[in-house]
Every structure is written in structure tokens, then in C-alpha cells.
Amino acid sequence: LFQVLWAFGPGPDQGLNKNWVTTMNLIVPGGGGALGILMGPRLVDGLGGYSTPPGVVRTLSLLFKFQLIAAFGGILGTIAVFGKVHKQRYSGEWGDIWLWLTWLAILLVMAAQSACVAAFCGINIQVFPEHMRTRASGLELTFRNIFGFVLGNVAPAIVMQLNSESDE
């Protein structure tokens, strides 16, 4: 996203360095993901984990709060991109405020989503009998990787292709 905003937006006109933008493209999502992975399980364990039914309820309540943080990040990102489109001027000494807000939004979304992964996997696996959990865990990860990560990229591409064909 950063590179697209830099290349197709007014980035070159505002003196943004492509190498700096690429570096931030690695740091922001990676830092957000790492923050979520470090904090999510600690917070879940601090509430008592999810090994009992009341623990599952407390954990799901915490995960809901993480999703609210992710939603706030999405709204912030939308505002940042909208602001960038409608206020195309250099913001000051620290650079473009809209770009910084976009980075903050992406960091929040990545952190909140990454904080949930371990707890969601654990709660999913607990519905299986003890002797089936190893196989169930492998299948859960396989399906999440295939349908989540792969189709997460393919589905929008199919929609864009269908939309572009309807324009012709």
C-alpha cells in the first residue's frame, strides 16, 4: 500500500524517498504483527486463559475489544487516505501527516488482528476431543492458510477482473 501511494500519489512530488517508504512498508506491518503476537497471548493468559467456559467468555470479550481496535484502525486509515486525496500538500517537518496516519492505522489493524490469532486457534481446537486435537490443529492451520491467505488475495482479484470486463 505504501509503495502504491508513493508511486501513484503525489509522493515523488513531495520528496518522499522510495527506499524510506519501502523500509516503512516492512517495519509498520511487521511491528504491528509483532506487537500483537507479544501482547495478545499475555493479555489472554492474564485473564485466566480459555481452558474453562468462563475463561472462554472472558477471552472472547477481550478478542471483541481487539476487533474494535482493528475497526478503529480501519476507520483511521480510511480518513487518512481520504484526507490525502483531498489535501495534497506537504504537512510539515515530519513529513506528510496523512501518510503517518495511514501507517498508524495499519499498525493498529495488524497488532489487533495478530493479538487474536493464538486465542482463536486455541478456542477452535478445544471443541475437539483430546485424542483428535493434533490432527484438528493441523487441519485448522492448513485451511486457514489455504482459504485465508491464498483466497484473501485471489477473491479481490477475481472481483476486479469481473468489474473490468463489465466496463468493456
Side-chain angles (χ1 to χ4, degrees):
L1 174 64
F2 304 136
Q3 292 172 340
V4 170
L5 287 175
W6 182 86
F8 296 111
D13 298 337
Q14 294 183 359
L16 288 176
N17 182 324
K18 185 177 182 180
N19 294 330
W20 184 72
V21 172
T22 303
T23 301
M24 292 303 284
N25 186 30
L26 298 172
I27 291 173
V28 171
L35 180 66
I37 290 169
L38 290 173
M39 296 305 295
R42 287 179 192 226
L43 292 171
V44 168
D45 289 344
L47 290 176
Y50 45 80
S51 60
T52 63
V56 171
V57 171
R58 285 190 303 270
T59 299
L60 290 175
S61 175
L62 176 66
L63 297 178
F64 178 73
K65 292 173 186 167
F66 283 142
Q67 296 312 303
L68 290 177
I69 292 170
F72 173 74
I75 292 167
L76 181 64
T78 302
I79 291 169
V81 171
F82 183 82
K84 180 65 178 171
V85 169
H86 293 287
K87 303 220 182 231
Q88 303 218 359
R89 58 184 167 87
Y90 186 74
S91 299
E93 181 180 327
W94 280 81
D96 187 358
I97 188 68
W98 303 113
L99 186 59
W100 284 97
L101 284 175
T102 303
W103 286 338
L104 176 63
I106 291 170
L107 184 113
L108 285 173
V109 170
M110 292 299 296
Q113 296 294 334
S114 296
C116 295
V117 172
F120 280 143
C121 290
I123 291 170
N124 284 342
I125 297 309
Q126 281 192 330
V127 301
F128 289 96
E130 190 80 32
H131 70 280
M132 294 178 65
R133 288 186 181 171
T134 302
R135 186 173 299 133
S137 176
L139 286 172
E140 188 267 340
L141 288 170
T142 301
F143 279 103
R144 181 166 32 107
N145 287 332
I146 290 173
F147 293 117
F149 296 131
V150 174
L151 291 181
N153 294 323
V154 172
I158 292 171
V159 170
M160 287 187 291
Q161 182 67 33
L162 292 173
N163 282 339
S164 68
E165 289 174 359
S166 67
D167 292 339
E168 295 173 1

